[in-house]
């Protein structure tokens, strides 16, 4: 593999990861928006943007399905991202 091919491959991998991250954030926000008021959910977006790990975002998606409140979800983000 040439240097150029390696750079292209790395760029593709980064693009896929970025897209996956953006989709997970979108899906979490959608689930929370269905369950809670828009005013409650809006602060979540900024907090989710600080999470870069796809495994953590996947777990947050699962948590969003059952969490009792947005406040508890935000606390979960804060403790998960440490």
């Amino acid at each position: 593999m040439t240097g150029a091919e390696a750079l292209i491959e790395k760029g593709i991998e980064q693009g896929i990861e970025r897209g996956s991250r953006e989709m997970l954030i979108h899906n979490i926000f959608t689930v929370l928006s269905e369950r809670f008021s828009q005013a409650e959910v809006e602060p979540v977006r900024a907090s989710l943007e600080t999470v870069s790990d796809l495994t953590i975002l996947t777990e947050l998606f699962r948590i969003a399905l059952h969490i009792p409140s947005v406040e508890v979800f935000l606390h979960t983000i804060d403790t998960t991202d440490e």
Side-chain angles (χ1 to χ4, degrees):
M1 179 180 301
T2 68
E5 290 170 335
L7 285 174
I8 291 170
E9 186 173 316
K10 183 175 179 166
I12 291 170
E13 289 172 5
Q14 288 173 340
I16 291 169
E17 185 171 326
R18 185 178 309 128
S20 297
R21 183 177 168 274
E22 289 172 6
M23 183 56 70
L24 277 166
I25 290 171
H26 171 78
N27 289 343
I28 292 167
F29 197 76
T30 299
V31 166
L32 292 173
S33 295
E34 286 293 318
R35 298 190 61 222
F36 306 103
S37 75
Q38 188 64 32
E40 288 178 288
V41 174
E42 196 54 45
V44 172
R45 189 179 303 275
S47 293
L48 287 174
E49 292 292 337
T50 67
V51 181
S52 58
D53 187 307
L54 293 177
T55 304
I56 292 172
L57 285 170
T58 300
E59 184 61 25
L60 288 171
F61 175 73
R62 288 188 191 109
I63 290 168
L65 295 169
H66 306 287
I67 202 86
S69 71
V70 174
E71 183 177 307
V72 172
F73 187 79
L74 285 168
H75 178 72
T76 303
I77 293 172
D78 291 341
T79 57
T80 303
D81 201 32
E82 291 179 342

